Amino acid sequence: DEFLSSPPRKTVRFGGALAEILLKYEKGETTDFELLKHQLSDPDIKDAQIINWLHEFRASVAYLTKELEQLVSLLLKLPWLRRSREVVEEYLGFLGNLVSAQTVHLRPCLRMIVSQFVPPRITIREDDVDISDSDDDDENLSENFNTCHRALQTVARYVPSTPQFLMPILVENFPFINKSERTLECYVHNLLRVTVYLPTLRLQILELIIEKLLKLDVSTPQQDIEDAEETANNSDSEEKSTEEGLFDMEEDEERKGNKVVSSSSERMAHPLAERLDILMTILFSYIKDVCHVDGKLDINNTKDLYRDLVSVFDKLILPTHASCHVQYFMFYICSFKLGLAEAFLDHLWKKLNDPNNPSVIRQTAGSYIGSFLARAKFIPVVTVKACLDLLVNWMHKYIDNQDTGANAYCDVALHGPFYSTCQAVFYTLIFRHKQLLDGNLRKGLSYLQSLNFERIVMCQLNPLKICIPSVVNLFAAITRKYQLVFCYTIIERNNRQFIPVVRSGTGGDLVQTCTNPLDSFFPFDPYMLKRSKKTIDPFYQFWEELSAEDLENLKKPIKRGTSEDEDDDFLKGETPQNDGVVGIAPNSYESNTRSPVSSIGSPPDCYGPYPQ
């Protein structure tokens, strides 16, 4: 700070040897100039030499016009960062003088500083092949980054327009996602540090980082992550069984200590998921640090950051289908204060309610509302009820307007936002019904009856036909238990009318296709990245598998052998057997509501065919 507040030191009088060399160069005498360039390019240049040259250059910046950009380029390539403190201080002084006197060199100076935001490249020779990689073992890396940020602050102090020139450079220098984890980690961390002293760039930097995170996220589907973890676990267990009896592993484990073991177990098997995990951890830490001052929530800082994050959410997250993890930055910041969670729900509601928004955006907003209400532990029942009132009233008004007109038929292309809202309400009820009924059962039941689910379920738009069967069946079981509505007649009728869409596959086989845009997309499905999930888990409502008692309570009181037998089997967690319908049309209970195999913490997902 002392350095930043004091003017550069004048250590030599104007017109030293350097000035003479530059004047000679202007007159066409290049011998001394070439010698100067050679000395500056010398890889073995000493600290004392660098300091002497920088002294003279600071006093002669007036000569360093655009015509001498080649010379400036050599000065910017000087290895100043990994030198003595005297060299670093002198170089920072030179940068300040240079950009204030010759703003034409601003971009090259910024490029030089930003290029230092990642670990230096080193060349390792293996089997006569040169392999370039980042130097992760550099002990001074943290100190070097601090110095880079001092340099950037110095430049910004002398040139107020620095931010607008800096942003394109930050974009073009962002490492490719297949670069080493350490390179990506350092670069993102340094970008977020820039937002602290150049706040005007914060929104753009957050956009840049989240856009890159999204690319990583959609490149690593949940199924791929699960498969990679399973393969890694299998290979680990095979290695252990092979090693048993050959080596005594206990001594090694004790020597390593718990730290190494836990860090290796926290690694994601999928390489892109590992990168995403590291970067999400940094983003969560940043959000926490910005919003808290001395360990206490700073409401103004939090509101400002929330606005920026909502803006990024609207621009990047909402239009992106099938991202699994990145959207959790909104989940996390909303956990700090109920007012933020309510503001986020209100924001999503306005997106859903606005007929001028594209249908797909409105449907996605509906998915976010349902998933957020179901999964966020920090949202109290009173807020859940307020949201259900809002959504259900809108659904009833929609039915009033549509249920008797020319479009009063089941079509997801026409009524997508309506079906998305229905699914959000059903999904919320599945997760929250116990809390809604807790305390005063009569009052709770009276509230649920007031929502008039029967009218929604029975309307011509037939939401039970479009919504995901796993959600429909759990909703049906719960509403039947509390005698709110009897869905099974409609479900059976939908099953009888259901004809799967087929297309010809490459081998001529018939392939069933899923054309329902509602898809099984719940944005806050269980978070799978091992390190960063520790931040999310305390606020996250996991799906509780139905206990034996719950299953008994939900069991349907009808005799075996009736057409609705399959439901009992589903609720018992068994695979239904119904030879009578095999080969005719798949029954939704059979194809879509078996107990989940892998999605722990989530209701059963279904990937079967959807009704048209």
Side-chain angles (χ1 to χ4, degrees):
D1 291 343
E2 261 179 53
F3 168 78
L4 290 176
S5 59
S6 63
R9 292 167 298 157
K10 298 287 183 187
T11 52
V12 291
R13 60 186 176 74
F14 178 76
L18 176 65
E20 290 171 15
I21 293 170
L22 298 179
L23 286 169
K24 282 181 187 176
Y25 177 71
E26 279 181 18
K27 294 173 184 173
E29 296 177 30
T30 61
T31 312
D32 289 347
F33 185 77
E34 290 302 323
L35 182 62
L36 167 64
K37 281 167 59 179
H38 179 72
Q39 287 180 353
L40 289 172
S41 309
D42 183 3
D44 299 320
I45 191 168
K46 301 289 186 289
D47 284 10
Q49 289 174 293
I50 294 179
I51 291 171
N52 285 337
W53 281 122
L54 289 175
H55 271 309
E56 296 202 50
F57 273 111
R58 286 182 70 180
S60 308
V61 286
Y63 291 99
L64 299 178
T65 56
K66 182 156 178 65
E67 287 69 35
L68 291 176
E69 62 184 347
Q70 199 178 6
L71 180 61
V72 172
S73 170
L74 286 175
L75 287 166
L76 294 178
K77 285 176 184 171
L78 280 172
W80 63 283
L81 259 181
R82 290 155 192 82
R83 296 280 178 159
S84 65
R85 181 170 177 76
E86 291 76 17
V87 172
V88 169
E89 296 299 329
E90 194 63 43
Y91 197 87
L92 289 173
F94 163 71
L95 278 180
N97 283 23
L98 178 66
V99 295
S100 56
Q102 304 285 353
T103 50
V104 69
H105 299 304
L106 176 63
R107 276 197 186 94
C109 287
L110 294 176
R111 281 199 185 90
M112 179 275 293
I113 296 168
V114 172
S115 71
Q116 305 288 347
F117 278 2
V118 293
R121 308 296 291 174
I122 55 169
T123 303
I124 309 160
R125 197 160 184 79
E126 281 185 21
D127 300 329
D128 298 327
V129 177
D130 288 343
I131 299 169
S132 176
D133 199 3
S134 60
D135 183 8
D136 295 343
D137 298 326
D138 190 340
E139 292 174 3
N140 301 318
L141 206 52
S142 180
E143 194 180 324
N144 291 344
F145 290 152
N146 290 341
T147 308
C148 285
H149 289 289
R150 279 184 65 199
L152 202 48
Q153 284 171 277
T154 304
V155 171
R157 228 176 82 242
Y158 285 112
V159 186
S161 60
T162 293
Q164 70 191 68
F165 291 98
L166 176 63
M167 196 59 218
I169 293 166
L170 295 178
V171 173
E172 70 191 40
N173 275 272
F174 204 104
F176 293 115
I177 57 173
N178 59 353
K179 289 285 184 187
S180 78
E181 295 142 17
R182 184 69 173 147
T183 298
L184 284 162
E185 179 184 4
C186 290
Y187 195 77
V188 168
H189 190 270
N190 284 316
L191 284 191
L192 291 171
R193 280 186 69 177
V194 171
T195 67
V196 176
Y197 54 85
L198 295 179
T200 54
L201 286 183
R202 183 167 75 181
L203 178 58
Q204 293 174 70
I205 286 175
L206 285 170
E207 261 183 40
L208 171 62
I209 291 170
I210 288 167
E211 183 187 2
K212 300 295 182 182
L213 290 179
L214 261 182
K215 285 180 180 173
L216 271 173
D217 201 4
V218 296
S219 304
T220 47
Q222 266 185 309
Q223 193 58 50
D224 289 6
I225 296 174
E226 285 175 8
D227 291 347
E229 289 298 321
E230 193 177 337
T231 306
N233 290 338
N234 290 342
S235 63
D236 284 352
S237 58
E238 280 173 24
E239 279 174 27
K240 279 178 188 170
S241 61
T242 309
E243 287 164 351
E244 276 173 17
L246 293 176
F247 304 103
D248 184 2
M249 301 295 283
E250 287 179 16
E251 286 178 21
D252 291 343
E253 291 298 326
E254 281 172 21
R255 192 161 45 79
K256 280 182 191 172
N258 293 329
K259 190 177 177 184
V260 177
V261 176
S262 65
S263 65
S264 65
S265 67
E266 280 183 354
R267 279 191 70 85
M268 300 296 296
H270 195 297
L272 293 184
E274 172 68 7
R275 287 167 175 76
L276 183 61
D277 193 11
I278 291 168
L279 299 184
M280 287 301 292
T281 305
I282 293 171
L283 183 59
F284 288 153
S285 299
Y286 172 77
I287 291 170
K288 184 179 180 183
D289 288 351
V290 169
C291 296
H292 293 80
V293 176
D294 299 327
K296 290 183 180 176
L297 188 72
D298 183 299
I299 196 62
N300 291 325
N301 287 358
T302 306
K303 280 181 181 175
D304 289 344
L305 181 60
Y306 169 83
R307 287 189 197 101
D308 282 349
L309 290 176
V310 164
S311 174
V312 178
F313 175 84
D314 284 351
K315 185 174 179 180
L316 298 176
I317 304 288
L318 210 52
T320 304
H321 180 68
S323 61
C324 302
H325 301 99
V326 179
Q327 59 265 28
Y328 271 90
F329 68 77
M330 285 308 306
F331 190 97
Y332 183 52
I333 195 170
C334 287
S335 72
F336 294 164
K337 195 167 178 61
L338 178 59
L340 296 176
E342 290 176 341
F344 184 50
L345 285 164
D346 183 57
H347 179 75
L348 291 168
W349 160 247
K350 284 171 180 166
K351 293 275 179 195
L352 172 64
N353 194 32
D354 184 357
N356 295 318
N357 281 330
S359 179
V360 67
I361 295 294
R362 297 176 69 192
Q363 285 174 228
T364 308
S367 296
Y368 270 93
I369 291 172
S371 201
F372 192 59
L373 287 174
R375 296 295 194 172
K377 268 187 186 176
F378 48 83
I379 296 181
V381 176
V382 64
T383 305
V384 174
K385 286 172 81 168
C387 290
L388 285 176
D389 287 339
L390 206 61
L391 296 171
V392 171
N393 284 338
W394 180 84
M395 284 152 60
H396 282 300
K397 281 180 186 170
Y398 192 92
I399 292 168
D400 289 340
N401 293 333
Q402 300 287 341
D403 212 33
T404 53
N407 293 330
Y409 56 89
C410 183
D411 187 341
V412 76
L414 279 175
H415 308 295
F418 171 76
Y419 294 123
S420 182
T421 309
C422 289
Q423 187 157 281
V425 169
F426 297 166
Y427 191 71
T428 303
L429 189 73
I430 289 166
F431 272 85
R432 296 284 196 154
H433 71 277
K434 285 183 181 175
Q435 289 167 282
L436 290 166
L437 296 166
D438 202 24
N440 189 330
L441 184 63
R442 179 176 292 180
K443 198 174 175 184
L445 280 175
S446 174
Y447 169 72
L448 290 178
Q449 285 162 356
S450 74
L451 297 178
N452 196 359
F453 283 124
E454 187 168 9
R455 180 171 185 249
I456 294 165
V457 164
M458 301 289 185
C459 75
Q460 294 295 312
L461 303 180
N462 195 357
L464 297 185
K465 188 172 185 179
I466 297 295
C467 293
I468 296 170
S470 55
V471 172
V472 167
N473 281 281
L474 281 166
F475 173 75
I478 290 161
T479 51
R480 182 206 56 225
K481 176 185 175 181
Y482 297 107
Q483 298 180 4
L484 298 171
V485 59
F486 191 78
C487 300
Y488 292 101
T489 313
I490 295 167
I491 292 172
E492 283 300 310
R493 187 182 69 210
N494 289 341
N495 291 340
R496 285 194 293 273
Q497 293 172 349
F498 169 56
I499 301 169
V501 176
V502 292
R503 62 178 170 79
S504 180
T506 48
D509 298 329
L510 291 179
V511 180
Q512 293 190 348
T513 62
C514 171
T515 56
N516 187 343
L518 283 185
D519 209 351
S520 51
F521 178 57
F522 295 104
F524 298 116
D525 262 358
Y527 193 92
M528 299 180 69
L529 306 175
K530 293 178 186 175
R531 289 182 196 82
S532 45
K533 84 191 296 285
K534 291 175 186 171
T535 306
I536 297 299
D537 281 358
F539 313 110
Y540 190 77
Q541 179 62 57
F542 288 92
W543 171 247
E544 295 170 6
E545 292 295 334
L546 294 174
S547 66
E549 187 182 346
D550 289 334
L551 292 170
E552 277 301 314
N553 289 339
L554 288 177
K555 269 178 69 175
K556 207 166 176 195
I558 58 171
K559 296 174 185 177
R560 302 278 303 173
T562 62
S563 61
E564 295 170 19
D565 225 27
E566 293 86 354
D567 181 56
D568 285 330
D569 294 328
F570 154 62
L571 293 168
K572 290 174 191 166
E574 297 168 5
T575 304
Q577 300 295 324
N578 188 341
D579 296 329
V581 294
V582 171
I584 301 170
N587 186 300
S588 69
Y589 295 130
E590 288 187 51
S591 57
N592 299 313
T593 55
R594 293 174 185 164
S595 293
V597 178
S598 60
S599 57
I600 296 167
S602 183
D605 275 336
C606 59
Y607 300 100
Y610 287 94
Q612 296 309 298

